[in-house]
Amino acid sequence: MLANVVVSTLIVCIPSTIVSIIIGVPIGYVLKIKRFKGRKFVLRLVYTLSGLPPVLAGLLVYIILSRRGPLGFLDILFTKWAMVIAQVILIVPIVVLYTLSGLKNVQLVLDNLDYLNVEGKKRYFALIKEYSKELVYATILGLSRSISEVGAVLIVGGNIEGETRILTTAIIYEITKGEFSRALLLGMVLLIISFSFNTILQILQGDIVD
């Protein structure tokens, strides 16, 4: 059971984080360097969504994916796909905000790239290299948010044993049964996984914690 729950947790959390980085970093980059009409409104929206209660995110995804919802034809409610979607909704605003704060002196970097006539894909690769540590931070934040989330995934996943039960929902399940020792064990496994991911990511980029 434990192995299955751990695998399910990784299957949900890793894609959620990757998709959130792919969506959130470009949005944060555009909001950082572009000045356009409605930018302040978008920023307020992102700040608001960063505090979106997980149960509300789960409810919205549930309604959209339910049989009578606009995307009900996909028939993915109570699957890992639905859990990934709910988590992406919660993680993207966090990644956007961190990208905004992490791109320090980005205009100076862009000016230097202009001076060196670096364009196209090379320009983006140079930016990724310049801000690689910030990218790692954003990944850690997203992954930590994903692994610890419980409200939204419980609603859209249904906590189905062998299918959509992950560590956080398994902890809730064990608590409702009064199996507090098993719930604590699952919590420890959750912390170990989170610690391992953080350590690996930091080693990949050097120790980013002074």
Side-chain angles (χ1 to χ4, degrees):
M1 171 194 170
L2 179 59
N4 187 282
V5 171
V6 171
V7 170
S8 294
T9 302
L10 298 177
I11 289 175
V12 171
C13 294
I14 293 177
S16 301
T17 304
I18 294 173
V19 173
S20 299
I21 292 293
I22 292 173
I23 296 173
V25 170
I27 293 175
Y29 174 74
V30 170
L31 288 172
K32 182 71 175 183
I33 66 169
K34 300 290 185 183
R35 296 294 181 269
F36 55 89
K37 189 177 181 180
R39 178 177 178 272
K40 288 185 177 178
F41 172 78
V42 175
L43 285 172
R44 292 192 193 103
L45 186 63
V46 172
Y47 274 104
T48 302
L49 291 177
S50 69
L52 183 68
V55 289
L56 179 55
L59 178 60
L60 292 173
V61 175
Y62 180 93
I63 292 172
I64 292 171
L65 296 180
S66 64
R67 188 167 297 177
R68 295 183 179 179
L71 297 181
F73 64 92
L74 294 176
D75 195 25
I76 58 173
L77 190 60
F78 302 130
T79 67
K80 292 184 179 70
W81 287 104
M83 299 165 77
V84 168
I85 292 171
Q87 291 212 341
V88 167
I89 291 173
L90 292 169
I91 299 170
V92 164
I94 296 172
V95 173
V96 172
L97 290 180
Y98 184 77
T99 303
L100 277 167
S101 64
L103 291 175
K104 296 174 181 174
N105 301 319
V106 67
Q107 193 56 55
L108 179 61
V109 175
L110 291 173
D111 291 341
N112 288 335
L113 292 176
D114 288 337
Y115 178 77
L116 297 171
N117 198 28
V118 178
E119 297 179 345
K121 292 181 180 177
K122 290 183 179 178
R123 188 179 181 88
Y124 291 109
F125 284 130
L127 280 172
I128 291 173
K129 184 178 180 182
E130 179 68 23
Y131 293 100
S132 57
K133 287 186 177 180
E134 285 73 14
L135 195 59
V136 171
Y137 267 132
T139 304
I140 291 173
L141 283 174
L143 197 55
S144 298
R145 182 72 176 86
S146 175
I147 288 177
S148 61
E149 209 291 310
V150 59
V153 293
L154 187 61
I155 292 173
V156 301
N159 199 20
I160 302 170
E161 185 176 3
E163 295 292 335
T164 60
R165 183 166 295 167
I166 60 176
L167 281 167
T168 50
T169 59
I171 291 171
I172 296 295
Y173 178 71
E174 296 298 338
I175 290 174
T176 58
K177 290 196 307 178
E179 298 285 351
F180 298 111
S181 57
R182 289 185 62 83
L184 280 174
L185 174 64
L186 291 168
M188 289 301 298
V189 173
L190 188 69
L191 285 175
I192 290 171
I193 292 174
S194 180
F195 180 80
S196 300
F197 273 125
N198 290 340
T199 302
I200 291 171
L201 287 171
Q202 290 182 15
I203 289 174
L204 287 175
Q205 282 296 317
D207 191 358
I208 54 180
V209 178
D210 294 327

